[in-house]
Amino acid sequence: MLKLNFGSLEQDIKEKMKVSLKGEKMMLVPYMKEHVSRYHVWIQDQIIVIEPLTLDQEYEMQLSWVQDPLALLCWTENWG
């Protein structure tokens, strides 16, 4: 279980980056900087109502989610 101490942002971020959930065909992992460019390409192909973000804005958003002690955003990794 993930426990955040709300005392140290740096420690909370490190703890959040350790979280992953693995199933038979998919794994949820923390949404990290390495995922941003792949997400950006994928979201461009989706039908969305809002104006798409630039790649730089996506990197800023990812960083804000990582630094938010109450946010836990995951990325799916599929296989099989």
Side-chain angles (χ1 to χ4, degrees):
M1 172 182 243
L2 175 66
K3 291 185 178 181
L4 302 177
N5 66 18
F6 299 104
S8 163
L9 178 61
E10 184 176 320
Q11 177 128 4
D12 287 349
I13 291 170
K14 287 179 183 178
E15 290 299 313
K16 284 176 27 176
M17 293 297 108
K18 295 178 187 177
V19 174
S20 65
L21 301 170
K22 185 176 180 182
E24 288 183 34
K25 294 186 178 184
M26 174 177 21
M27 182 165 64
L28 293 175
V29 297
Y31 182 54
M32 299 173 72
K33 188 176 182 179
E34 294 79 23
H35 301 122
V36 174
S37 60
R38 247 172 78 194
Y39 170 80
H40 184 72
V41 169
W42 173 82
I43 199 68
Q44 300 302 314
D45 293 335
Q46 306 306 307
I47 299 172
I48 55 175
V49 178
I50 60 172
E51 185 175 328
L53 300 176
T54 66
L55 185 55
D56 286 339
Q57 290 170 321
E58 294 284 4
Y59 279 108
E60 290 172 12
M61 186 66 68
Q62 181 272 338
L63 183 59
S64 74
W65 288 328
V66 168
Q67 292 176 341
D68 183 340
L70 300 178
L72 181 59
L73 186 68
C74 293
W75 174 261
T76 59
E77 294 288 338
N78 296 311
W79 64 84

